[in-house]
Coordinates of all heavy atoms in Angstrom, one line a residue:
N6 N -1.2 13.3 -7.0 CA -0.6 14.5 -6.5 C 0.1 14.4 -5.3 O -0.3 13.6 -4.4 CB -1.8 15.5 -6.3 CG -2.4 16.0 -7.6 OD1 -1.8 16.1 -8.6 ND2 -3.7 16.3 -7.5
I7 N 1.3 15.0 -5.2 CA 2.0 15.2 -3.9 C 2.1 16.7 -3.7 O 2.9 17.4 -4.4 CB 3.4 14.5 -4.0 CG1 3.3 13.0 -4.2 CG2 4.1 14.8 -2.7 CD1 4.6 12.3 -4.3
M25 N -10.1 6.6 -1.9 CA -11.1 7.0 -0.9 C -12.3 7.6 -1.6 O -12.2 8.1 -2.7 CB -10.5 7.9 0.2 CG -9.9 9.2 -0.4 SD -9.0 10.1 0.9 CE -8.7 11.7 0.2
E178 N -8.1 15.4 9.4 CA -7.9 14.2 8.5 C -7.5 13.0 9.4 O -7.3 13.2 10.6 CB -6.7 14.5 7.5 CG -5.4 14.8 8.2 CD -4.3 15.1 7.2 OE1 -4.5 15.0 6.0 OE2 -3.2 15.4 7.6
S179 N -7.5 11.8 8.8 CA -7.2 10.7 9.7 C -5.7 10.8 10.2 O -4.9 11.4 9.6 CB -7.3 9.4 8.8 OG -6.4 9.4 7.7
H180 N -5.5 10.3 11.4 CA -4.2 10.3 12.0 C -3.9 9.0 12.6 O -4.7 8.4 13.3 CB -4.1 11.4 13.1 CG -2.8 11.7 13.6 ND1 -2.2 10.9 14.6 CD2 -1.8 12.6 13.2 CE1 -0.9 11.4 14.8 NE2 -0.7 12.4 14.0
F181 N -2.7 8.5 12.3 CA -2.4 7.1 12.6 C -2.1 6.8 14.1 O -1.9 5.7 14.5 CB -1.3 6.5 11.7 CG 0.1 7.1 11.9 CD1 1.2 6.5 11.4 CD2 0.3 8.3 12.5 CE1 2.5 7.0 11.5 CE2 1.5 8.9 12.7 CZ 2.6 8.2 12.1
D218 N -5.8 5.0 13.2 CA -6.6 5.8 12.3 C -8.1 5.8 12.6 O -8.6 4.7 12.8 CB -6.4 5.4 10.8 CG -5.1 6.0 10.2 OD1 -4.9 7.2 10.3 OD2 -4.3 5.2 9.7
V276 N -12.8 9.5 3.8 CA -11.5 8.9 3.5 C -11.4 7.4 3.5 O -10.4 6.8 3.3 CB -10.5 9.5 4.6 CG1 -10.5 11.0 4.6 CG2 -10.8 8.9 6.0
V278 N -11.4 3.7 2.4 CA -11.1 2.9 1.3 C -11.6 1.5 1.5 O -11.1 0.8 2.5 CB -9.6 2.9 1.0 CG1 -9.3 1.9 -0.2 CG2 -9.0 4.3 0.7
T289 N 2.3 2.5 -3.2 CA 1.8 3.7 -2.6 C 2.8 4.9 -2.6 O 3.9 4.7 -3.1 CB 1.4 3.4 -1.1 OG1 0.6 4.5 -0.6 CG2 2.6 3.2 -0.2
H290 N 2.3 6.1 -2.2 CA 3.1 7.3 -2.2 C 2.9 8.0 -0.8 O 1.8 7.7 -0.2 CB 2.9 8.2 -3.3 CG 1.4 8.7 -3.4 ND1 1.0 9.8 -2.7 CD2 0.3 8.2 -4.0 CE1 -0.2 10.1 -2.9 NE2 -0.7 9.1 -3.7
A291 N 3.8 8.9 -0.4 CA 3.7 9.5 0.9 C 2.9 10.8 0.9 O 2.8 11.5 1.9 CB 5.1 9.7 1.5
G292 N 2.4 11.2 -0.3 CA 1.6 12.4 -0.3 C 2.2 13.7 0.1 O 3.5 13.8 0.2
F293 N 1.4 14.7 0.3 CA 1.9 16.0 0.7 C 2.7 16.0 2.0 O 3.7 16.6 2.2 CB 0.7 17.0 0.8 CG 1.1 18.4 1.3 CD1 1.4 19.4 0.4 CD2 1.1 18.7 2.6 CE1 1.7 20.7 0.8 CE2 1.5 20.0 3.1 CZ 1.8 20.9 2.1
V294 N 2.2 15.1 2.9 CA 2.8 15.1 4.3 C 4.2 14.5 4.2 O 5.0 14.8 5.1 CB 1.8 14.3 5.2 CG1 1.9 12.8 5.0 CG2 2.2 14.6 6.7
G295 N 4.5 13.7 3.2 CA 5.8 13.0 3.2 C 6.9 13.9 2.8 O 7.7 13.5 1.9
Q300 N 7.9 11.8 8.2 CA 6.4 11.9 7.9 C 5.9 10.8 7.0 O 4.7 10.4 7.0 CB 6.2 13.3 7.2 CG 6.4 14.5 8.1 CD 5.4 14.6 9.2 OE1 4.4 13.9 9.3 NE2 5.6 15.5 10.2
A301 N 6.8 10.2 6.2 CA 6.4 9.1 5.3 C 5.9 7.9 6.0 O 5.2 7.0 5.4 CB 7.5 8.8 4.3
A302 N 6.2 7.8 7.3 CA 5.7 6.6 8.1 C 4.2 6.5 8.0 O 3.6 5.4 8.1 CB 6.1 6.8 9.5
K303 N 3.5 7.6 7.8 CA 2.0 7.6 7.8 C 1.5 6.7 6.6 O 0.5 6.0 6.7 CB 1.5 9.0 7.7 CG 1.7 9.9 8.9 CD 1.3 11.3 8.7 CE 1.3 12.1 10.0 NZ 2.7 12.4 10.5
A304 N 2.2 6.8 5.5 CA 1.8 6.0 4.3 C 2.1 4.5 4.6 O 1.3 3.7 4.1 CB 2.6 6.5 3.1
G305 N 3.2 4.2 5.3 CA 3.5 2.8 5.6 C 2.4 2.2 6.4 O 1.9 1.1 6.2
V306 N 2.0 2.9 7.5 CA 1.0 2.4 8.4 C -0.4 2.3 7.6 O -1.1 1.3 7.9 CB 0.9 3.3 9.6 CG1 -0.3 2.8 10.5 CG2 2.2 3.2 10.4
A307 N -0.7 3.2 6.8 CA -1.9 3.2 6.0 C -2.1 2.0 5.2 O -3.2 1.5 4.9 CB -2.1 4.5 5.2
A308 N -0.9 1.4 4.7 CA -1.0 0.2 3.8 C -1.1 -1.1 4.5 O -1.4 -2.1 3.9 CB 0.3 0.2 3.0
M320 N 7.0 2.0 -2.0 CA 6.6 3.4 -1.6 C 7.6 4.4 -2.2 O 8.8 4.3 -2.1 CB 6.6 3.6 -0.1 CG 6.0 4.9 0.3 SD 6.4 5.3 2.1 CE 5.5 4.0 2.9
V321 N 7.0 5.5 -2.7 CA 7.8 6.7 -3.1 C 7.4 7.9 -2.3 O 6.2 8.0 -1.9 CB 7.6 6.9 -4.7 CG1 6.2 7.4 -4.9 CG2 8.6 7.9 -5.2
L448 N -2.5 2.3 -4.0 CA -3.2 3.2 -3.1 C -3.1 4.6 -3.6 O -2.1 5.3 -3.4 CB -2.6 3.1 -1.7 CG -3.1 2.1 -0.7 CD1 -2.3 1.9 0.5 CD2 -4.6 2.4 -0.4
A449 N -4.1 5.0 -4.3 CA -4.1 6.3 -5.1 C -3.9 7.5 -4.2 O -3.3 8.5 -4.6 CB -5.3 6.4 -5.9
D450 N -4.4 7.4 -3.0 CA -4.4 8.6 -2.1 C -3.3 8.5 -1.0 O -3.2 9.3 -0.1 CB -5.7 8.8 -1.4 CG -6.9 8.9 -2.4 OD1 -6.8 9.9 -3.2 OD2 -7.8 8.1 -2.4
G451 N -2.4 7.5 -1.2 CA -1.3 7.4 -0.3 C -1.7 7.3 1.2 O -2.5 6.5 1.5
P452 N -1.2 8.2 2.0 CA -1.4 8.1 3.5 C -2.8 8.6 3.9 O -3.2 8.5 5.0 CB -0.3 9.1 4.0 CG -0.1 10.1 3.0 CD -0.2 9.3 1.7
Y453 N -3.6 9.2 3.0 CA -4.8 9.8 3.3 C -6.0 8.9 3.4 O -6.9 9.1 4.1 CB -5.1 11.0 2.4 CG -4.0 12.0 2.4 CD1 -3.2 12.2 1.2 CD2 -3.6 12.7 3.5 CE1 -2.1 13.0 1.2 CE2 -2.6 13.6 3.5 CZ -1.8 13.7 2.3 OH -0.7 14.6 2.3
G454 N -6.0 7.9 2.6 CA -7.1 6.9 2.6 C -6.9 5.9 3.7 O -5.8 5.5 4.0
V455 N -8.0 5.5 4.4 CA -7.9 4.6 5.4 C -8.7 3.3 5.0 O -9.9 3.4 4.7 CB -8.5 5.1 6.7 CG1 -8.5 4.1 7.9 CG2 -7.8 6.4 7.2
V456 N -8.0 2.2 5.0 CA -8.6 1.0 4.5 C -9.5 0.4 5.5 O -9.1 0.2 6.7 CB -7.5 -0.1 4.1 CG1 -8.2 -1.4 3.7 CG2 -6.6 0.5 3.0

Side-chain angles (χ1 to χ4, degrees):
N6 291 329
I7 299 180
M25 58 190 188
E178 61 182 354
S179 62
H180 190 277
F181 67 163
D218 276 308
V276 304
V278 176
T289 191
H290 62 88
F293 177 93
V294 75
Q300 294 289 354
K303 295 177 171 67
V306 173
M320 184 196 298
V321 70
L448 269 174
D450 302 301
Y453 305 112
V455 178
V456 178

